[in-house]
Amino acid sequence: MTKSPETSKKTSYHHGDLRAQLVEATRQLVEEKGADHFSVSEACRRAGVSTAAPYKHFKDKEEMLNQVILEGMHRKQQQMQDELAKYPDGGIDRIIALGRVYVRFAEQEPGVFRLMFGLTEDHENEDQLVAEGKRTFGAVQAEVARYRGSEVVEDQDIDRAFMLWSFVHGLSFLQIDGKVSTVDVSVDMEHILREIAERVMA
Amino acid sequence: MTKSPETSKKTSYHHGDLRAQLVEATRQLVEEKGADHFSVSEACRRAGVSTAAPYKHFKDKEEMLNQVILEGMHRKQQQMQDELAKYPDGGIDRIIALGRVYVRFAEQEPGVFRLMFGLTEDHENEDQLVAEGKRTFGAVQAEVARYRGSEVVEDQDIDRAFMLWSFVHGLSFLQIDGKVSTVDVSVDMEHILREIAERVMA
DNA sequence: TACATATGTAAGAGGTGCTAACTTTTACAG
DNA sequence: CTGTAAAAGTTAGCACCTCTTACATATGTA
């Protein structure tokens, strides 16, 4: 099936890897109009192909969106890794770094972020997506345990990890949905992330 | 079909207050299918009127949804008041109570909750909605200040109120979007609400 | 040449929000 | 008990968009 890396332009027949182009168009549209106002037809227009073309690469609309989710998760995981690498083992700065990546991702890709969480039904039955989600949350748990000086995740770590998750998750949504501004709060993101981390890890 | 004679509403013409019936149908549909898959036509079918009828009562689709939001906010505010009344002044139980109402509302009316926050564009320009939002957040700030023993809201209170908000907001979304279950965490809501309140107010 | 893959054409079947114009019901003044 | 005007509904229709498929065609490989 997939025989060549996507970096080369002449790897395919008519287009240069239409599948990737469609995913990219989908991602852009999700950002611009939201996942619920995304339409296959429009992605086709943007990719410069007929409305029938996607169905040789994807089962249906949902599969296109799922691909966008998956790639988004991978980007986020990569960012987490990159950010973690800047800080020494076991420090609270690493906890903060994870939160920063979370919120920053939401700010930079609010459409994909919203798509990843919630609204668009299923997801629970998409094994691959669930697996990636678990993997990410597992990484947070491990980091929390390591802050405690342990390599083994215990119940208290899971609790703390979940609190951190709730926090940054809410923070992200309030931020991208503009609720912060309607209520006249000026958010110093670095400050609040540190506050949160310290209070949860205490 | 399903025409149960209304309880003596003499101020109505054909139906017993079609406006209210349409809002109720809209609310139900928002719960069942999400705000983005709500259609005026379907609300009409459910209310048993023609598709043109709503336009005698609402400017457009958005105005119908906004009414659902507004009534949702009022319900939530009422619940906050009711719950607060159970606890003595200045205790942390009052802070916890506010969080409980927030999460419980999300669980009971996830569709309306999602509609209230995010996705559906504007809102920022809907003066009435913004005002109600401010009012609610102001109540939380006041409660935080009172925990400190003060009647005057200071910056530190706003910070704490915002942290609490982020927390319960994220918690609510993770809960209703089913992310909790996919990650194998069992949430004791009362426990986590108390943990959060204590850590933020410390 | 034969073949497989990738795309295009065209259409089916359905849905949407909203408006114009018409009809029925109600409220109220005299 | 009327006459009238407004309110609250209905019918019909415009203009548009959607996802998906069956079939035809173009392109590259062997």
Side-chain angles (χ1 to χ4, degrees), chain B residues 35-96:
Chain B
D36 294 286
H37 297 90
F38 153 77
S39 83
V40 179
S41 339
E42 204 162 354
C44 292
R45 263 172 252 138
R46 191 158 297 199
V49 294
S50 73
T51 62
Y55 296 91
K56 302 287 176 186
H57 298 273
F58 304 93
K59 179 172 151 285
D60 55 13
K61 179 181 178 172
E62 207 189 327
E63 200 174 284
M64 289 198 248
L65 289 171
N66 281 346
Q67 187 59 33
V68 170
I69 295 181
L70 199 62
E71 293 185 8
M73 284 176 153
H74 289 154
R75 276 196 299 282
K76 199 171 89 173
Q77 281 164 2
Q78 185 60 52
Q79 289 169 19
M80 283 170 66
Q81 240 180 292
D82 293 351
E83 196 71 19
L84 276 181
K86 298 180 184 170
Y87 304 95
D89 225 64
I92 197 154
D93 284 342
R94 286 173 73 91
I95 307 283
I96 296 171

Side-chain angles (χ1 to χ4, degrees), chain A residues 20-181:
Chain A
Q21 271 183 250
L22 282 171
V23 173
E24 173 57 15
T26 301
R27 193 197 59 79
Q28 283 177 21
L29 285 168
V30 163
E31 281 308 325
E32 291 169 26
K33 331 185 84 174
D36 293 289
H37 296 93
F38 152 78
S39 83
V40 178
S41 338
E42 203 161 357
C44 291
R45 263 173 253 139
R46 191 158 296 201
V49 293
S50 74
T51 62
Y55 295 90
K56 301 291 171 182
H57 298 273
F58 305 93
K59 181 173 149 283
D60 55 14
K61 178 181 180 174
E62 206 189 326
E63 200 174 286
M64 289 198 248
L65 288 171
N66 281 345
Q67 187 59 31
V68 170
I69 296 181
L70 199 61
E71 293 186 6
M73 284 176 153
H74 288 154
R75 278 196 299 281
K76 199 170 90 173
Q77 281 164 2
Q78 185 60 53
Q79 289 169 18
M80 283 170 65
Q81 240 180 290
D82 292 350
E83 196 71 18
L84 275 181
K86 299 180 184 170
Y87 304 95
D89 226 65
I92 197 155
D93 284 342
R94 286 173 72 92
I95 307 284
I96 296 171
L98 290 176
R100 181 164 45 235
V101 169
Y102 203 97
V103 174
R104 197 178 51 197
F105 185 88
E107 287 171 346
Q108 286 175 345
E109 308 192 38
V112 175
F113 181 81
R114 282 202 198 85
L115 177 59
M116 284 162 89
F117 301 97
L119 62 110
T120 317
E121 305 95 85
D122 297 339
H123 288 194
E124 286 171 49
N125 299 329
E126 307 291 335
D127 293 351
Q128 201 172 180
L129 301 181
V130 171
E132 290 294 339
K134 276 188 178 153
R135 210 179 126 219
T136 302
F137 188 55
V140 177
Q141 292 173 348
E143 201 55 48
V144 170
R146 215 165 293 136
Y147 179 76
R148 212 172 28 82
S150 164
E151 291 298 323
V152 185
V153 173
E154 292 179 6
D155 279 0
Q156 55 166 319
D157 302 317
I158 299 180
D159 281 0
R160 285 197 169 91
F162 185 66
M163 278 192 258
L164 288 170
W165 189 14
S166 297
F167 230 136
V168 295
H169 193 67
L171 193 52
S172 298
F173 270 115
L174 291 180
Q175 182 81 349
I176 66 180
D177 287 337
K179 300 307 161 192
V180 179
S181 62

Side-chain angles (χ1 to χ4, degrees), chain B residues 17-172:
Chain B
D17 197 359
L18 177 57
R19 183 183 160 98
Q21 270 183 252
L22 281 171
V23 172
E24 172 58 15
T26 301
R27 193 196 59 77
Q28 283 178 20
L29 285 168
V30 163
E31 282 306 327
E32 291 170 25
K33 332 185 85 177
D36 294 286
H37 297 90
F38 153 77
S39 83
V40 179
S41 339
E42 204 162 354
C44 292
R45 263 172 252 138
R46 191 158 297 199
V49 294
S50 73
T51 62
Y55 296 91
K56 302 287 176 186
H57 298 273
F58 304 93
K59 179 172 151 285
D60 55 13
K61 179 181 178 172
E62 207 189 327
E63 200 174 284
M64 289 198 248
L65 289 171
N66 281 346
Q67 187 59 33
V68 170
I69 295 181
L70 199 62
E71 293 185 8
M73 284 176 153
H74 289 154
R75 276 196 299 282
K76 199 171 89 173
Q77 281 164 2
Q78 185 60 52
Q79 289 169 19
M80 283 170 66
Q81 240 180 292
D82 293 351
E83 196 71 19
L84 276 181
K86 298 180 184 170
Y87 304 95
D89 225 64
I92 197 154
D93 284 342
R94 286 173 73 91
I95 307 283
I96 296 171
L98 290 177
R100 182 164 43 233
V101 169
Y102 203 98
V103 175
R104 197 179 50 198
F105 185 88
E107 288 172 345
Q108 286 174 346
E109 308 192 37
V112 175
F113 181 81
R114 283 202 197 84
L115 178 59
M116 285 162 89
F117 302 96
L119 60 110
T120 317
E121 304 96 85
D122 298 340
H123 289 194
E124 285 171 50
N125 299 327
E126 307 291 336
D127 294 350
Q128 201 174 177
L129 299 182
V130 171
E132 291 293 340
K134 277 189 176 151
R135 210 178 128 222
T136 302
F137 189 54
V140 177
Q141 291 174 348
E143 200 55 47
V144 170
R146 215 165 292 136
Y147 178 76
R148 209 170 32 79
S150 165
E151 291 299 322
V152 184
V153 173
E154 292 179 8
D155 278 1
Q156 55 167 318
D157 301 318
I158 299 180
D159 281 1
R160 286 199 168 89
F162 185 66
M163 278 192 258
L164 288 171
W165 190 13
S166 298
F167 232 135
V168 294
H169 194 66
L171 194 51
S172 298

